[in-house]
Amino acid sequence: MPKILGIDLGTTNSAMAVMEGGEPRVLENQEGNRTTPSVVAISKSNERLAGLLAKRQSVVNPKNTIFSMKRLIGRKFSDPEVARDKSWLPYEMKESASGGVEIKMGDRWYTPEEISAMVLQKLKADAEAKLGEKIEEAVITVPAYFDDSQRQATKNAGEIAGFKVKRILNEPTAAALAYGLNRQKSERIVVYDFGGGTFDISLLEVGDNTVEVKATGGDTHLGGDDFDKRITEYLAGEYKKQEGVDISKDALALQRLKEAVERAKHELSTAVETEINLPYITSDNAGPKHFLMKLSRAKLEELVQDLIDRSIKLIQETVTAPVPKGGGIKLSEIDEVVLVGGQTRMPAIQEAVKKLFGKEPHKGINPDEVVAVGAAVQAGVLQGDVKDILLLDVTPLTLSIETLGSVATPMIQKNTTVPTSKTQVFSTAADNQTSVEIHIGQGERPMMADNKTLARFILDGIPPSPRGIPQVEVVFDIDANGILTVSAKDKATGKAQSVKIEASTALSKDEIERLKREAAEHASEDEKKRVLIEARNQAEALVYAAEKAVKDAGDKLPEDIKKSVEEKIAGVKEVKEKDDSEIIKARVSELSAELQKIGETLYKQGNGPERADRPESDRHQ
Amino acid sequence: MEDDQKKETTVKKNKSEIQNETSTAEAEKLKQERDEYLDGWKRAKADLINYKKEETQRLEQFAKFSNEALVAEMLNVLDSFDLGLATLPESDPGRRGIEMIKAQCLEILKRYGLEVVQTAVGKMFDPAQEEAVGEVESAAPPGTVAEVVGRGYALHGRIVRPARVKISKQQSK
């Protein structure tokens, strides 16, 4: 089935994603990046460029490098917004015959649709190359405040690029979809979208699987770029004060500073202080000059506080202003808050939003990609991926088998997709053990007694042999209907036994939740128990080995060593059943040290291998 | 009598024919189902195999480029070397040592797949490898590289940072 591409066609950058195996996947472009600059150009050598390549030559070709098309698409030339943007956009534009906007690129006039189509075309080609299949359909997102004409124009851009546009989706709705918020019964959601160059607020109302935009607000000329500019200006100013050199006049130095500022800004999202270190930034008569300054998170926040405050004020207006200007509701009536846009990684913004609504905002998905992810989710719904995929069940709880010391040894971990099958070989715990009990349990606790027993059976007829020698192969198999079959087979005799458990996955939801909750509650005490059992098992194994070694050595062993080993064995036995894992471990290591003496003595007596083959520890003596 | 007998046989025949027909239809249906399931199973198998292949490729790519962020940061250090060296006269005795440290750094990064983008004054500007940061008037053909301002680097063939160049433009008269 051909895929539908989800596209976030942004003002400065665009991103794309598809559904794959029921999960959204963000696609990288040809240059290997997850976002693509929404820039198109006709280069000086008359080549048409789109994306990063167009951006790379923008400085020397400003008149023929077209960006921010989203600000013009579907608008009338007489629109005040267009007049405002015309004043700072470096390329030529004029009124088209139909009253719209036309842009000059190279020696031809283009409509904003045609320009946007070139960006979309690049995304299409890159997605096709990445996926190795043709892509003909797309879901494209637009801001919630876009009117019919802007939506139609965006749709046209998609069609020009060769897509069948299945849906024009609101960006905030896409963000809510990405977080699965559309499944709630009835909720009010605020989407706070702080991008590179624009700031959008949307108030959504979800009900019966529909998402309705109740109010929108924001500032089309406020974004993360303003933050960068503030920091750069501040640092350049400080440097001028310190060194008396104005680096903002030096293009190359300024470029280095801007890049360092972007890095520093990102770093201050996790660190509280960072250092901007730019050696040889410039020079004067006295020789080279360096730039070394510390920037703290507190200083950064101080520099941009008014921008954050402005965004918070805009949220308040959008939510509380009376209809139709705003949503006409109280802030406390908002159920969910979603953060979109790279700038929302800044802790101060997250804090401010949290404080305003008194609740934790959704921010788990990469904020640069969340809209594209949501577009892909919508695409998945349209292509039937999300609903119609073959629903494979998972095992809700871990299925285990009881082993020495009542430990629940997991065979099939929880959340494993069924049908599945796991095989493991076990052995006996005692000498001459002729039967094993297979005890099957379900749950997350490490001790079998704390989990739910599903079944037990006994496999007997194992030929008598020392512990650890018999091989019992245990198979856990769950078919597509959730029926668990456990079989055990003695590999020596081929004797087998099995049991079928019908209801292994048919626990009630409450029961599953209870078992999971209990596992979480008891995690630390269970861990202690597990450590203790492990220590006990180790003690038992070593006692067994020690007794055997003493017996095997017989007369060859000097009486004093024999006596001290036996003492240590008694020491281990004495504490083995106690509840203190530390003391068991201590005694075990004492015994283990003593035990080595047996080996040493036997070697010295010449019963060991040739000298050259002696163990490392021997040779050093 | 004879007639009756005949009738009976016909009836019997009809019954078995009907039975035959139903079982054929049943068999046909089962056959269809079998084909459908077999197809679904084969597809699921193929999906898994293909997924594994893609996953291997993805992992290979991931391993190749997992250093990209670190390498990209290290480029600033290489730049600083270049800038520092540019301030030292050829005769400076310390120069050789710094050049060697720079070469050492570059050598390490090269081992991890870093390559220097080959750019030269006079060649046509190529935005796939270069970023234009300005223009200079020169006698050289317009649109060619007039000056290399910063070195470009690629990691396993993918541009991590384009070379920064100035482009020549026609001299104004």
Side-chain angles (χ1 to χ4, degrees):
Chain A
M1 188 176 43
K3 290 191 168 78
I4 304 178
L5 191 63
I7 301 173
D8 169 11
L9 182 62
T11 309
T12 35
N13 285 302
S14 297
M16 55 181 171
V18 287
M19 285 306 264
E20 222 176 50
E23 294 286 329
R25 174 186 162 201
V26 175
L27 296 181
E28 290 176 355
N29 62 17
Q30 200 198 337
E31 292 83 31
N33 302 319
R34 291 161 79 92
T35 55
T36 302
S38 307
V39 183
V40 176
I42 298 277
S43 77
K44 293 203 157 166
S45 48
N46 248 328
E47 225 182 321
R48 203 171 85 186
L49 304 168
L52 192 59
L53 268 51
K55 200 179 166 187
R56 279 185 189 152
Q57 52 85 66
S58 61
V59 174
V60 293
N61 194 17
K63 284 204 169 304
N64 298 310
T65 304
I66 317 296
F67 59 96
S68 276
M69 219 18 52
K70 208 172 164 180
R71 296 184 188 275
L72 303 176
I73 198 165
R75 287 190 189 273
K76 292 220 166 309
F77 191 72
S78 53
D79 220 326
E81 277 282 335
V82 174
R84 185 179 164 190
D85 289 328
K86 190 173 180 288
S87 65
W88 63 275
L89 290 171
Y91 41 81
E92 256 184 273
M93 57 178 94
K94 68 166 190 189
E95 184 165 4
S96 73
S98 59
V101 183
E102 272 186 0
I103 297 109
K104 193 172 183 193
M105 183 170 76
D107 44 17
R108 231 200 86 183
W109 290 90
Y110 295 87
T111 61
E113 287 95 312
E114 287 175 282
I115 304 278
S116 285
M118 294 174 196
V119 175
L120 292 169
Q121 228 164 16
K122 171 174 169 59
L123 296 178
K124 183 172 187 271
D126 287 2
E128 285 174 348
K130 189 90 201 168
L131 295 170
E133 58 183 285
K134 276 257 163 236
I135 292 183
E136 321 241 276
E137 297 175 321
V139 169
I140 305 175
T141 62
V142 294
Y145 59 76
F146 259 29
D147 64 18
D148 282 345
S149 136
Q150 288 166 300
R151 282 165 202 268
Q152 186 57 48
T154 305
K155 192 173 177 192
N156 292 346
E159 310 270 333
I160 296 168
F163 284 116
K164 192 163 182 298
V165 180
K166 298 292 280 184
R167 184 76 53 98
I168 291 289
L169 183 67
N170 284 320
E171 286 159 13
T173 306
L177 279 177
Y179 282 105
L181 297 178
N182 56 318
R183 282 176 239 132
Q184 314 295 335
K185 272 191 209 94
S186 98
E187 271 199 328
R188 292 197 176 101
I189 303 168
V190 163
V191 179
Y192 176 99
D193 181 349
F194 217 129
T198 58
F199 171 63
D200 294 322
I201 289 288
S202 315
L203 173 63
L204 308 178
E205 205 170 87
V206 176
D208 286 339
N209 253 327
T210 59
V211 183
E212 201 186 333
V213 179
K214 288 303 220 188
T216 61
D219 183 339
T220 51
H221 290 89
L222 170 65
D225 299 346
D226 295 308
F227 286 50
D228 294 10
K229 225 169 109 192
R230 285 275 173 90
I231 309 166
T232 310
E233 276 166 11
Y234 162 75
L235 290 174
E238 286 296 297
Y239 191 70
K240 199 176 169 190
K241 266 192 249 163
Q242 275 177 26
E243 304 283 335
V245 184
D246 187 1
I247 46 174
S248 62
K249 295 277 186 300
D250 177 345
L252 191 63
L254 190 64
Q255 171 78 12
R256 280 180 77 197
L257 182 61
K258 275 184 183 167
E259 281 165 18
V261 160
E262 218 186 309
R263 274 201 305 275
K265 188 178 85 170
H266 293 166
E267 212 175 308
L268 288 175
S269 286
T270 47
V272 289
E273 191 178 68
T274 182
E275 194 175 69
I276 295 155
N277 179 341
L278 298 166
Y280 302 101
I281 184 103
T282 184
S283 62
D284 63 5
N285 298 335
K289 284 197 165 300
H290 312 299
F291 187 108
L292 184 64
M293 258 186 237
K294 283 200 161 66
L295 184 68
S296 68
R297 189 190 283 179
K299 184 71 207 174
L300 166 69
E301 286 168 5
E302 185 196 313
L303 289 171
V304 299
Q305 193 57 52
D306 63 308
L307 299 178
I308 299 176
D309 291 345
R310 194 154 122 227
S311 78
I312 295 296
K313 206 173 139 241
L314 285 165
I315 306 184
Q316 273 169 326
E317 277 174 23
T318 308
V319 175
T320 59
V323 189
K325 255 205 97 196
I329 57 167
K330 289 195 215 95
L331 287 172
S332 57
E333 290 176 83
I334 299 300
D335 300 296
E336 312 271 357
V337 184
V338 176
L339 298 183
V340 180
Q343 194 54 52
T344 62
R345 288 194 181 93
M346 186 177 184
I349 287 187
Q350 295 178 0
E351 268 312 304
V353 173
K354 193 178 155 188
K355 210 175 118 203
L356 181 68
F357 291 103
K359 53 174 59 81
E360 200 64 53
H362 291 269
K363 55 182 190 215
I365 304 173
N366 183 340
D368 294 319
E369 297 169 357
V370 62
V371 171
V373 166
V377 170
Q378 176 68 60
V381 171
L382 293 173
Q383 70 193 16
D385 234 15
V386 174
K387 260 189 257 158
D388 282 324
I389 49 163
L390 176 66
L391 260 181
L392 289 176
D393 238 339
V394 296
T395 54
L397 292 163
T398 302
L399 297 167
S400 322
I401 179 169
E402 180 174 341
T403 54
L404 186 63
S406 308
V407 171
T409 300
M411 288 291 289
I412 296 179
Q413 296 285 358
K414 75 169 173 190
N415 286 334
T416 304
T417 303
V418 298
T420 186
S421 165
K422 288 277 158 66
T423 306
Q424 203 173 326
V425 175
F426 293 91
S427 192
T428 49
D431 288 339
N432 302 327
Q433 187 181 335
T434 55
S435 71
V436 289
E437 188 193 34
I438 308 290
H439 178 187
I440 305 135
Q442 185 175 39
E444 306 312 307
R445 307 276 299 271
M447 304 305 299
M448 198 52 133
D450 300 320
N451 290 325
K452 184 182 166 178
T453 294
L454 291 178
R456 299 167 185 266
F457 66 87
I458 287 173
L459 176 69
D460 52 13
I462 299 171
S465 37
R467 67 181 250 163
I469 297 298
Q471 290 196 312
V472 178
E473 186 183 74
V474 176
V475 181
F476 273 51
D477 182 277
I478 307 182
D479 70 8
N481 301 315
I483 296 167
L484 168 68
T485 308
V486 177
S487 54
K489 188 171 104 181
D490 174 27
K491 283 182 131 181
T493 60
K495 215 170 164 217
Q497 194 62 259
S498 73
V499 67
K500 203 176 248 192
I501 302 151
E502 304 275 344
S504 70
T505 54
L507 284 176
S508 76
K509 222 181 158 194
D510 289 346
E511 207 169 351
I512 292 168
E513 283 313 309
R514 181 180 60 78
L515 287 169
K516 281 186 183 164
R517 206 174 47 237
E518 280 179 10
E521 280 165 8
H522 294 96
S524 76
E525 119 199 20
D526 279 350
E527 177 59 19
K528 267 189 217 140
K529 236 193 246 177
R530 196 186 57 77
V531 170
L532 177 65
I533 301 286
E534 235 167 52
R536 277 189 193 155
N537 286 348
Q538 212 186 347
E540 200 164 303
L542 194 67
V543 166
Y544 176 81
E547 284 175 337
K548 189 164 178 290
V550 171
K551 203 172 127 205
D552 289 351
D555 301 341
K556 285 173 201 141
L557 204 59
E559 205 50 41
D560 57 328
I561 290 182
K562 191 176 164 189
K563 205 174 151 225
S564 71
V565 170
E566 276 169 349
E567 265 169 27
K568 298 289 178 204
I569 291 175
V572 173
K573 278 184 172 169
E574 188 193 329
V575 295
K576 197 166 67 90
E577 295 311 318
K578 294 210 170 112
D579 286 341
D580 187 345
S581 60
E582 287 309 310
I583 187 146
I584 300 177
K585 279 188 199 159
R587 295 275 171 96
V588 163
S589 64
E590 279 171 26
L591 171 59
S592 153
E594 204 63 35
L595 211 49
Q596 282 175 8
K597 288 190 188 158
I598 299 183
E600 277 167 29
T601 320
L602 293 184
Y603 280 126
K604 275 184 196 142
Q605 288 171 355
N607 287 333
E610 290 302 301
R611 190 157 181 91
D613 291 330
R614 286 190 185 181
E616 202 76 357
S617 60
D618 225 359
R619 234 180 287 168
H620 287 294
Q621 279 173 356
Chain B
M1 246 338 242
E2 243 181 42
D3 255 19
D4 273 3
Q5 260 184 349
K6 228 182 188 176
K7 239 184 211 166
E8 240 191 323
T9 27
T10 346
V11 171
K12 263 186 192 162
K13 227 182 196 172
N14 278 350
K15 255 189 192 164
S16 68
E17 256 172 27
I18 289 166
Q19 261 175 1
N20 265 343
E21 266 166 33
T22 19
S23 52
T24 326
E26 184 92 336
E28 202 50 49
K29 194 177 142 238
L30 288 173
K31 224 168 149 185
Q32 240 176 31
E33 265 183 13
R34 182 202 65 188
D35 289 347
E36 203 177 295
Y37 292 160
L38 195 63
D39 182 61
W41 177 71
K42 280 180 184 163
R43 273 172 195 280
K45 275 261 179 198
D47 275 352
L48 177 69
I49 293 165
N50 290 332
Y51 174 77
K52 275 186 181 163
K53 281 182 199 156
E54 277 169 30
E55 198 59 17
T56 319
Q57 268 177 9
R58 250 181 255 183
L59 275 175
E60 273 169 14
Q61 285 295 95
F62 180 78
K64 248 184 174 175
F65 291 102
S66 58
N67 287 326
E68 191 174 352
L70 174 69
V71 169
E73 299 256 18
M74 285 302 293
L75 299 184
N76 295 312
V77 181
L78 293 178
D79 285 349
S80 299
F81 274 120
D82 284 339
L83 288 163
L85 285 167
T87 65
L88 293 177
E90 289 289 343
S91 57
D92 192 294
R95 202 186 153 97
R96 172 120 179 87
I98 296 177
E99 268 172 356
M100 282 171 70
I101 304 173
K102 186 199 152 191
Q104 217 175 7
C105 285
L106 195 58
E107 203 44 52
I108 293 171
L109 292 170
K110 275 184 178 166
R111 249 181 271 149
Y112 288 91
L114 190 78
E115 303 135 49
V116 177
V117 170
Q118 296 305 322
T119 303
V121 170
K123 78 182 255 300
M124 270 317 269
F125 167 68
D126 173 10
Q129 304 208 19
E130 292 141 9
E131 181 182 354
V133 295
E135 283 180 306
V136 283
E137 287 184 5
S138 81
T144 56
V145 174
E147 188 187 334
V148 180
V149 187
R151 239 184 270 274
Y153 296 94
L155 187 65
H156 299 292
R158 187 202 281 176
I159 300 286
V160 183
R161 197 184 71 190
R164 297 208 164 114
V165 297
K166 284 188 180 166
I167 310 294
S168 71
K169 73 170 180 188
Q170 227 144 25
Q171 278 164 312
S172 49
K173 283 160 201 167

